[in-house]
Structures are given as C-alpha cells and as structure tokens.
C-alpha cells in the first residue's frame, strides 16, 4: 500500500493528557499537510511542511499543538494538555512538488476523542 | 471566515439521473478549484479539478463548471450511480492555502 498512512486510527484520552499522532506520506511526496475536521464541517488547515521545513501554520494551531517532520519523511502532530474541544478527526495529506501539487492525497485520519 | 460554502448539506437523486452539487466562494484570489469525495471512515479522495482560466472540465461522468464572475462552481455527475453516494467537498486553492466547504452528502437511490 503506497498511500498516506496515519496511526493510530482512533485515540481516546482524558482531558489534560498529551497525545501524538503519526503520518507517513507517499514516499516521493515533498509536501505534507495536517488538517482537522469536525462533524459537519470540511477539513480545516493546520500546518504544512515542504520536506522538513514547516512553512505555514494556521491561527487554529494553538501553542498546545506542535508538528514535526524531522527527516522530511514521516510527520508527528502532538497535542499537549488536551481539551474536549480538541476532539476531531485529524487528517494528514501529502502532495508532490511542482505539477500536481494541488492534488492532495489524504490518509484515513486519526479520530481523537477527549473525555 | 468561511471562504468556501456548500449551502446544501444533503442531496438525494435517483439512479441514472443527474446530480448537481454547488459551491460558492468569496476570495477572488483562488486560482484552482477541486472536488473531493469522502466515504465513511476514509480520508477525502481527489475527484476532479479546474483551473481558474477554464470554465469547464470533464472526466467521464463528472464535469465541473466554473463561473468566475459569480464565484460559483458546480459538479455534475451523470448518470448517477449508487456507488456515488458519499460526502462531496468543494475546495479552493491559492498559494498553497486550500480551503474546504462543509460538504454535501449525496445519496443515489437505486
């Protein structure tokens, strides 16, 4: 399977705990994106990497959120001191650089539930 | 600020008929528009796109129309099939900033 892979698929945590999600993009894709989707809404942009460089962060990304892509391959998204409002589907997407970069390939997401 | 709007949360059509999904946007800087399809428990998958320099793009049963003056685009599916039942997201792009609409749930009845 050469698609975008996200782990875990589901995460249930208690308020105040830290959680970390992993995304493995399509191997030849330089660009990696994190989105958040809540029920009844479309995906909302969180942050974007080109190789290992984090080029853009949304205002939605509070100080409790941090994302890394240390070697320009897989990425992690960490949420510290989770709140109930963080409950959402966290989607990772990747795309190639240059032609076709606008077509994002999404993973199946990590569904976070904060109790 | 919701720059991309899909005002119909749901649409139901009969198999074989045409499905028309609509999308409006407010930012005139968007230069590329896409439609994604999402099945339950899966991420969105790319369906079809159109550049702002065009007004129509066709791919098999799927056609996207763009009306820049009205800041409106639509996706036509004809003929509709039960397997097309899914949530469809409209997306608009400028400078690596992609915004999504809230989605329209399409149900195609046999």
């Amino acid at each position: 399977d050469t698609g975008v892979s996200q782990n875990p698929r589901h995460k249930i945590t208690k308020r105040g705990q830290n959680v970390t999600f992993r995304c493995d993009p399509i191997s030849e894709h330089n660009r990696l994106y994190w989105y958040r989707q809540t029920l009844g809404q479309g995906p909302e942009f969180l942050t974007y990497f080109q190789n290992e460089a984090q080029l853009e962060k949304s205002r939605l990304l509070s100080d409790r959120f941090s994302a890394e892509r240390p070697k320009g391959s897989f990425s992690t998204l960490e949420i510290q001191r989770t709140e109930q409002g963080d409950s959402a589907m966290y989607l990772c997407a990747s795309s190639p650089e240059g032609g076709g970069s606008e077509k994002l390939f999404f993973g199946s997401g990590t569904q976070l539930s904060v109790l | 600020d919701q720059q991309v709007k899909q005002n119909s949360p749901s649409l139901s059509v009969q198999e074989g008929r045409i499905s028309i999904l609509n999308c409006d946007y407010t930012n005139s800087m968007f230069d590329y528009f896409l439609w994604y399809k999402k099945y339950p428990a899966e991420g969105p998958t790319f369906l079809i796109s159109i550049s702002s320099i065009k007004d129509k793009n066709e791919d098999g049963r799927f056609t996207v129309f763009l009306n820049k003056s009205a800041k409106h685009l639509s996706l036509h599916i004809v003929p509709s099939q039960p397997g097309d039942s899914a949530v469809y997201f409209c997306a608009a792009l400028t400078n690596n900033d992609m915004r999504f609409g809230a989605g329209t749930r399409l149900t195609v009845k046999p």
Side-chain angles (χ1 to χ4, degrees):
Chain A
D1 182 14
T2 57
V4 177
S5 176
Q6 290 188 248
N7 289 289
R9 290 294 303 273
H10 304 275
K11 179 69 177 178
I12 301 174
T13 191
K14 292 183 180 179
R15 189 176 51 186
Q17 298 294 305
N18 299 344
V19 294
T20 300
F21 310 140
R22 176 178 170 126
C23 172
D24 288 90
I26 294 172
S27 58
E28 59 268 26
H29 286 181
N30 295 341
R31 298 183 174 188
L32 187 147
Y33 304 78
W34 285 99
Y35 282 82
R36 179 173 68 188
Q37 185 180 8
T38 53
L39 199 62
Q41 299 297 317
E44 294 176 297
F45 171 77
L46 293 179
T47 190
Y48 153 60
F49 290 85
Q50 180 150 325
N51 298 312
E52 66 275 8
Q54 188 173 18
L55 297 186
E56 224 174 304
K57 290 173 64 173
S58 165
R59 288 171 296 175
L60 294 174
L61 214 63
S62 76
D63 291 344
R64 297 184 296 104
F65 288 69
S66 62
E68 294 182 344
R69 195 183 183 196
K71 298 181 180 179
S73 56
F74 73 91
S75 174
T76 58
L77 177 68
E78 181 182 17
I79 309 174
Q80 296 182 330
R81 304 181 304 281
T82 52
E83 301 173 357
Q84 287 185 326
D86 297 331
S87 297
M89 171 73 80
Y90 289 84
L91 292 163
C92 176
S94 69
S95 72
E97 192 171 355
S101 62
E102 64 282 352
K103 298 181 182 67
L104 303 185
F105 292 78
F106 283 89
S108 297
T110 295
Q111 181 67 54
L112 173 66
S113 298
V114 181
L115 305 179
Chain B
D1 62 339
Q2 199 170 1
Q3 298 186 28
V4 179
K5 297 180 182 179
Q6 293 177 257
N7 292 320
S8 297
S10 63
L11 175 68
S12 181
V13 300
Q14 205 67 34
E15 181 179 6
R17 306 295 289 269
I18 185 170
S19 296
I20 300 176
L21 296 96
N22 294 303
C23 177
D24 297 290
Y25 62 96
T26 57
N27 187 348
S28 59
M29 298 300 293
F30 288 134
D31 53 12
Y32 207 83
F33 303 89
L34 307 95
W35 284 93
Y36 284 84
K37 178 179 177 180
K38 185 181 184 304
Y39 292 117
E42 296 182 10
T45 55
F46 170 77
L47 187 59
I48 192 169
S49 62
I50 187 167
S51 165
S52 61
I53 62 173
K54 295 185 176 181
D55 55 18
K56 177 182 175 181
N57 188 27
E58 190 172 353
D59 183 3
R61 296 185 297 113
F62 303 91
T63 303
V64 56
F65 295 92
L66 176 63
N67 183 334
K68 283 184 65 179
S69 60
K71 294 189 175 67
H72 177 84
L73 67 156
S74 61
L75 173 68
H76 292 211
I77 307 173
V78 56
S80 301
Q81 299 174 355
D84 296 330
S85 297
V87 177
Y88 289 79
F89 291 103
C90 167
L93 176 68
T94 180
N95 292 330
N96 290 316
D97 184 0
M98 186 176 292
R99 303 294 179 105
F100 287 81
T104 296
R105 180 177 299 278
L106 173 66
T107 302
V108 180
K109 298 180 178 179

